[in-house]
Amino acid sequence: MNTTTEFTTEWHLERSRPEQLLSYLGLSRPFIGQINRLVTRFRDVQFLCEHGERPEALLHLRDALAFHLVKMSRWWNFDFCPRSTLEIQAPRFLAHVRAHTERSIEDDTFYDLFTLQRHLHGGDACTILILGHDPEPRMAEILYGVDGQRRFRLAHALRGCAPTWEEASWPDFAGAWLAARTLRARNAGDREAARDASLAQAEHERARSWHQRHFHACCERHIFALYREASAELLQHRSAHGRLEGEAIVNSLAFRVARQAVQSRLTVRDLMRETGCCGSNACPEAVEIERRARMHVFISVDETRQTVQLAIVDRLGSHPCRED
């Protein structure tokens, strides 16, 4: 836990509000950077609540961050366990979530849809909670929602007309967001944009499985194999969005490889050798892993943790790659 006095209660009250950290309707920020920042800020605010003066505003911030962790888990369709991810028991964590939803009708409605469904016909695909319009001006006619089957939907919302919802649905918001871009490009006759968006949809299908397993600790046993698998997938990505998602995933896995090597007091190449993955390109591959690990820290790690995480990567430099 980072207990530095630099990031005080006042700092978090000013800079850790969910609307500052998260982008829901616009996906310009990759998933990994958003969820890493959200988890980090919740942990720090929770620590201050347990060891500081606990002003009411800080308690409300903690509760809001807890709710948005749940919301993000549904938005991006990833597995989330408070005990393993945050080291906090689920009943206690959910008490924070409920405290927030009692203060927000809008967030209570979203939470209810993914839990008890008291406010709608349970499991009804025709009952849709509207989430909002696409924030891009050229996509302003696109409306997003989530139905009673907990699937994300999109609709055309022309002025003066009731929205026309597409029958297709997706398990995460990104699926609907990418489908909207494909649909609009096809309707506009923009073949190049339609092809890019269609490729992005297919590439996101592969990225979705990585997002879902983001917090799976058991994956650490096979982290180098996972890094190579994700790297091979990235080489196949052709769309701008697919490459953005793929780069974030590979960089994150590279950092986990670097961290495991440092914790084991090994070079990356030695770790590769121990896992039976050491080939003729071991040295260049080790250098690439270090480069990607640094990129992960600079792009996807919260600013409150960058110094600590960068120090992990720096330790790899004390064990230079050597040819046998």
Side-chain angles (χ1 to χ4, degrees):
M1 172 59 67
N2 178 22
T3 59
T4 177
T5 56
E6 179 182 355
F7 305 110
T8 62
T9 293
E10 291 72 21
W11 188 93
H12 280 288
L13 289 174
E14 180 181 348
R15 303 192 187 187
S16 294
R17 295 191 303 274
E19 61 269 22
Q20 297 171 309
L21 305 175
L22 307 173
S23 174
Y24 280 111
L25 293 177
L27 300 188
S28 57
R29 307 180 199 173
F31 159 74
I32 292 176
Q34 290 199 66
I35 194 59
N36 284 348
R37 290 183 175 92
L38 183 57
V39 167
T40 298
R41 299 301 175 92
F42 174 82
R43 285 173 171 164
D44 285 358
V45 171
Q46 172 73 359
F47 179 87
L48 290 170
C49 287
E50 291 181 343
H51 300 88
E53 296 181 0
R54 295 167 52 97
E56 186 176 39
L58 189 69
L59 298 177
H60 287 184
L61 177 60
R62 175 203 59 195
D63 298 342
L65 292 169
F67 165 77
H68 283 278
L69 279 164
V70 173
K71 182 175 179 177
M72 283 285 282
S73 74
R74 299 306 87 212
W75 205 266
W76 285 93
N77 191 36
F78 65 84
D79 297 335
F80 171 67
C81 172
R83 184 174 59 82
S84 60
T85 305
L86 305 171
E87 299 180 346
I88 178 173
Q89 294 298 319
R92 184 179 171 198
F93 176 78
L94 292 176
H96 299 327
V97 175
R98 286 191 292 269
H100 172 78
T101 57
E102 287 174 0
R103 293 189 289 267
S104 171
I105 295 175
E106 180 180 347
D107 289 344
D108 178 62
T109 303
F110 183 91
Y111 183 72
D112 178 73
L113 188 151
F114 282 94
T115 53
L116 298 177
Q117 297 195 344
R118 298 165 300 173
H119 304 325
L120 49 77
H121 300 293
D124 183 3
C126 296
T127 302
I128 300 175
L129 172 66
I130 295 175
L131 301 171
H133 287 270
D134 196 296
E136 289 188 25
R138 67 187 184 90
M139 301 284 291
E141 76 278 9
I142 299 295
L143 192 67
Y144 298 105
V146 60
D147 64 26
Q149 294 183 352
R150 303 179 178 95
R151 304 275 295 184
F152 288 87
R153 306 279 292 275
L154 66 89
H156 287 279
L158 300 179
R159 183 175 297 178
C161 301
T164 303
W165 294 95
E166 297 287 323
E167 290 187 8
S169 63
W170 297 267
D172 60 5
F173 175 79
W177 187 85
L178 290 167
R181 274 140 186 80
T182 304
L183 185 63
R184 188 185 187 283
R186 287 174 178 167
N187 290 342
D190 189 337
R191 297 177 64 180
E192 184 176 345
R195 179 179 179 276
D196 185 79
S198 182
L199 284 171
Q201 282 185 271
E203 290 159 3
H204 176 67
E205 289 292 325
R206 294 191 287 270
R208 182 181 289 133
S209 67
W210 292 103
H211 297 337
Q212 190 171 28
R213 296 176 293 169
H214 183 70
F215 290 112
H216 285 200
C218 62
C219 293
E220 297 299 327
R221 295 195 301 269
H222 315 288
I223 194 61
F224 189 79
L226 293 173
Y227 166 80
R228 277 192 170 170
E229 180 184 341
S231 298
E233 287 185 6
L234 175 59
L235 291 175
Q236 300 175 28
H237 287 190
R238 295 293 179 263
S239 73
H241 186 270
R243 288 193 296 270
L244 184 68
E245 272 196 308
E247 288 279 352
I249 291 166
V250 173
N251 291 349
S252 175
L253 291 168
F255 177 80
R256 290 165 69 177
V257 170
R259 181 177 60 193
Q260 184 169 325
V262 169
Q263 290 174 345
S264 304
R265 298 184 178 181
L266 298 171
T267 65
V268 170
R269 191 179 181 190
D270 287 340
L271 182 65
M272 293 161 61
R273 185 180 292 110
E274 281 202 352
T275 56
C277 298
C278 193
S280 58
N281 294 324
C283 195
E285 190 170 19
V287 172
E288 176 68 1
I289 287 171
E290 181 176 343
R291 184 188 72 82
R292 287 193 171 279
R294 288 185 187 279
M295 289 296 295
H296 170 75
V297 174
F298 289 132
I299 296 173
S300 296
V301 170
D302 186 68
E303 62 183 288
T304 64
R305 294 293 191 277
Q306 284 185 345
T307 300
V308 173
Q309 304 284 37
L310 192 59
I312 293 175
V313 184
D314 286 342
R315 290 183 63 183
L316 293 176
S318 63
H319 302 286
C321 185
R322 299 183 302 274
E323 296 289 349
D324 291 333

PDB file of all heavy atoms in Angstrom, residues 181-195:
ATOM      1  N   ARG A 181     -20.158   2.232 -34.988  1.00  0.00           N
ATOM      2  CA  ARG A 181     -19.269   2.819 -35.976  1.00  0.00           C
ATOM      3  C   ARG A 181     -19.294   2.045 -37.294  1.00  0.00           C
ATOM      4  O   ARG A 181     -19.222   2.632 -38.373  1.00  0.00           O
ATOM      5  CB  ARG A 181     -17.842   2.882 -35.405  1.00  0.00           C
ATOM      6  CG  ARG A 181     -17.650   4.149 -34.587  1.00  0.00           C
ATOM      7  CD  ARG A 181     -16.873   3.996 -33.329  1.00  0.00           C
ATOM      8  NE  ARG A 181     -16.910   5.282 -32.622  1.00  0.00           N
ATOM      9  CZ  ARG A 181     -17.945   5.695 -31.873  1.00  0.00           C
ATOM     10  NH1 ARG A 181     -19.016   4.926 -31.727  1.00  0.00           N
ATOM     11  NH2 ARG A 181     -17.928   6.873 -31.280  1.00  0.00           N
ATOM     12  N   THR A 182     -19.414   0.754 -37.196  1.00  0.00           N
ATOM     13  CA  THR A 182     -19.544  -0.054 -38.406  1.00  0.00           C
ATOM     14  C   THR A 182     -20.833   0.289 -39.143  1.00  0.00           C
ATOM     15  O   THR A 182     -20.835   0.489 -40.370  1.00  0.00           O
ATOM     16  CB  THR A 182     -19.530  -1.549 -38.050  1.00  0.00           C
ATOM     17  OG1 THR A 182     -18.351  -1.872 -37.323  1.00  0.00           O
ATOM     18  CG2 THR A 182     -19.600  -2.407 -39.303  1.00  0.00           C
ATOM     19  N   LEU A 183     -21.925   0.366 -38.411  1.00  0.00           N
ATOM     20  CA  LEU A 183     -23.224   0.658 -39.000  1.00  0.00           C
ATOM     21  C   LEU A 183     -23.245   2.033 -39.655  1.00  0.00           C
ATOM     22  O   LEU A 183     -23.737   2.190 -40.786  1.00  0.00           O
ATOM     23  CB  LEU A 183     -24.308   0.564 -37.917  1.00  0.00           C
ATOM     24  CG  LEU A 183     -25.761   0.724 -38.376  1.00  0.00           C
ATOM     25  CD1 LEU A 183     -26.129  -0.406 -39.338  1.00  0.00           C
ATOM     26  CD2 LEU A 183     -26.691   0.717 -37.173  1.00  0.00           C
ATOM     27  N   ARG A 184     -22.705   3.028 -38.974  1.00  0.00           N
ATOM     28  CA  ARG A 184     -22.735   4.374 -39.524  1.00  0.00           C
ATOM     29  C   ARG A 184     -21.883   4.476 -40.792  1.00  0.00           C
ATOM     30  O   ARG A 184     -22.266   5.115 -41.772  1.00  0.00           O
ATOM     31  CB  ARG A 184     -22.236   5.389 -38.492  1.00  0.00           C
ATOM     32  CG  ARG A 184     -22.425   6.828 -38.957  1.00  0.00           C
ATOM     33  CD  ARG A 184     -21.812   7.824 -37.989  1.00  0.00           C
ATOM     34  NE  ARG A 184     -22.155   9.180 -38.380  1.00  0.00           N
ATOM     35  CZ  ARG A 184     -21.577   9.848 -39.381  1.00  0.00           C
ATOM     36  NH1 ARG A 184     -20.643   9.279 -40.100  1.00  0.00           N
ATOM     37  NH2 ARG A 184     -21.963  11.085 -39.671  1.00  0.00           N
ATOM     38  N   ALA A 185     -20.705   3.827 -40.770  1.00  0.00           N
ATOM     39  CA  ALA A 185     -19.826   3.879 -41.937  1.00  0.00           C
ATOM     40  C   ALA A 185     -20.487   3.208 -43.144  1.00  0.00           C
ATOM     41  O   ALA A 185     -20.399   3.710 -44.280  1.00  0.00           O
ATOM     42  CB  ALA A 185     -18.496   3.207 -41.616  1.00  0.00           C
ATOM     43  N   ARG A 186     -21.170   2.100 -42.916  1.00  0.00           N
ATOM     44  CA  ARG A 186     -21.858   1.424 -44.017  1.00  0.00           C
ATOM     45  C   ARG A 186     -22.994   2.280 -44.558  1.00  0.00           C
ATOM     46  O   ARG A 186     -23.187   2.385 -45.778  1.00  0.00           O
ATOM     47  CB  ARG A 186     -22.387   0.074 -43.538  1.00  0.00           C
ATOM     48  CG  ARG A 186     -21.294  -0.975 -43.347  1.00  0.00           C
ATOM     49  CD  ARG A 186     -21.831  -2.249 -42.727  1.00  0.00           C
ATOM     50  NE  ARG A 186     -20.778  -3.260 -42.583  1.00  0.00           N
ATOM     51  CZ  ARG A 186     -20.903  -4.365 -41.859  1.00  0.00           C
ATOM     52  NH1 ARG A 186     -22.047  -4.585 -41.197  1.00  0.00           N
ATOM     53  NH2 ARG A 186     -19.911  -5.222 -41.778  1.00  0.00           N
ATOM     54  N   ASN A 187     -23.759   2.892 -43.650  1.00  0.00           N
ATOM     55  CA  ASN A 187     -24.865   3.740 -44.085  1.00  0.00           C
ATOM     56  C   ASN A 187     -24.370   4.953 -44.866  1.00  0.00           C
ATOM     57  O   ASN A 187     -25.064   5.461 -45.751  1.00  0.00           O
ATOM     58  CB  ASN A 187     -25.697   4.192 -42.883  1.00  0.00           C
ATOM     59  CG  ASN A 187     -26.481   3.065 -42.253  1.00  0.00           C
ATOM     60  OD1 ASN A 187     -26.675   2.017 -42.880  1.00  0.00           O
ATOM     61  ND2 ASN A 187     -26.930   3.249 -41.024  1.00  0.00           N
ATOM     62  N   ALA A 188     -23.159   5.428 -44.510  1.00  0.00           N
ATOM     63  CA  ALA A 188     -22.592   6.589 -45.197  1.00  0.00           C
ATOM     64  C   ALA A 188     -21.857   6.196 -46.476  1.00  0.00           C
ATOM     65  O   ALA A 188     -21.389   7.068 -47.213  1.00  0.00           O
ATOM     66  CB  ALA A 188     -21.647   7.333 -44.264  1.00  0.00           C
ATOM     67  N   GLY A 189     -21.753   4.899 -46.746  1.00  0.00           N
ATOM     68  CA  GLY A 189     -21.054   4.440 -47.940  1.00  0.00           C
ATOM     69  C   GLY A 189     -19.545   4.579 -47.861  1.00  0.00           C
ATOM     70  O   GLY A 189     -18.865   4.554 -48.891  1.00  0.00           O
ATOM     71  N   ASP A 190     -19.014   4.702 -46.653  1.00  0.00           N
ATOM     72  CA  ASP A 190     -17.568   4.845 -46.469  1.00  0.00           C
ATOM     73  C   ASP A 190     -16.974   3.448 -46.297  1.00  0.00           C
ATOM     74  O   ASP A 190     -16.903   2.920 -45.183  1.00  0.00           O
ATOM     75  CB  ASP A 190     -17.287   5.718 -45.245  1.00  0.00           C
ATOM     76  CG  ASP A 190     -15.815   6.089 -45.098  1.00  0.00           C
ATOM     77  OD1 ASP A 190     -14.967   5.367 -45.649  1.00  0.00           O
ATOM     78  OD2 ASP A 190     -15.521   7.092 -44.418  1.00  0.00           O
ATOM     79  N   ARG A 191     -16.543   2.869 -47.395  1.00  0.00           N
ATOM     80  CA  ARG A 191     -16.100   1.470 -47.376  1.00  0.00           C
ATOM     81  C   ARG A 191     -14.850   1.279 -46.529  1.00  0.00           C
ATOM     82  O   ARG A 191     -14.708   0.267 -45.837  1.00  0.00           O
ATOM     83  CB  ARG A 191     -15.860   0.991 -48.801  1.00  0.00           C
ATOM     84  CG  ARG A 191     -17.121   0.994 -49.663  1.00  0.00           C
ATOM     85  CD  ARG A 191     -16.834   0.575 -51.081  1.00  0.00           C
ATOM     86  NE  ARG A 191     -16.356  -0.799 -51.154  1.00  0.00           N
ATOM     87  CZ  ARG A 191     -16.032  -1.394 -52.302  1.00  0.00           C
ATOM     88  NH1 ARG A 191     -16.123  -0.730 -53.441  1.00  0.00           N
ATOM     89  NH2 ARG A 191     -15.612  -2.652 -52.300  1.00  0.00           N
ATOM     90  N   GLU A 192     -13.927   2.228 -46.581  1.00  0.00           N
ATOM     91  CA  GLU A 192     -12.688   2.099 -45.810  1.00  0.00           C
ATOM     92  C   GLU A 192     -12.962   2.145 -44.306  1.00  0.00           C
ATOM     93  O   GLU A 192     -12.441   1.330 -43.542  1.00  0.00           O
ATOM     94  CB  GLU A 192     -11.716   3.208 -46.205  1.00  0.00           C
ATOM     95  CG  GLU A 192     -10.353   3.086 -45.514  1.00  0.00           C
ATOM     96  CD  GLU A 192      -9.358   4.129 -45.981  1.00  0.00           C
ATOM     97  OE1 GLU A 192      -9.606   4.766 -47.018  1.00  0.00           O
ATOM     98  OE2 GLU A 192      -8.334   4.290 -45.299  1.00  0.00           O
ATOM     99  N   ALA A 193     -13.801   3.126 -43.885  1.00  0.00           N
ATOM    100  CA  ALA A 193     -14.141   3.230 -42.464  1.00  0.00           C
ATOM    101  C   ALA A 193     -14.941   2.013 -42.006  1.00  0.00           C
ATOM    102  O   ALA A 193     -14.759   1.524 -40.879  1.00  0.00           O
ATOM    103  CB  ALA A 193     -14.922   4.503 -42.201  1.00  0.00           C
ATOM    104  N   ALA A 194     -15.832   1.521 -42.868  1.00  0.00           N
ATOM    105  CA  ALA A 194     -16.630   0.344 -42.520  1.00  0.00           C
ATOM    106  C   ALA A 194     -15.742  -0.884 -42.338  1.00  0.00           C
ATOM    107  O   ALA A 194     -15.945  -1.691 -41.424  1.00  0.00           O
ATOM    108  CB  ALA A 194     -17.682   0.088 -43.592  1.00  0.00           C
ATOM    109  N   ARG A 195     -14.741  -1.020 -43.218  1.00  0.00           N
ATOM    110  CA  ARG A 195     -13.828  -2.163 -43.105  1.00  0.00           C
ATOM    111  C   ARG A 195     -13.019  -2.072 -41.816  1.00  0.00           C
ATOM    112  O   ARG A 195     -12.848  -3.070 -41.112  1.00  0.00           O
ATOM    113  CB  ARG A 195     -12.890  -2.205 -44.319  1.00  0.00           C
ATOM    114  CG  ARG A 195     -11.881  -3.352 -44.280  1.00  0.00           C
ATOM    115  CD  ARG A 195     -11.005  -3.357 -45.531  1.00  0.00           C
ATOM    116  NE  ARG A 195     -10.029  -4.431 -45.485  1.00  0.00           N
ATOM    117  CZ  ARG A 195      -8.858  -4.358 -44.861  1.00  0.00           C
ATOM    118  NH1 ARG A 195      -8.521  -3.248 -44.218  1.00  0.00           N
ATOM    119  NH2 ARG A 195      -8.027  -5.393 -44.859  1.00  0.00           N
TER     120      ARG A 195
END
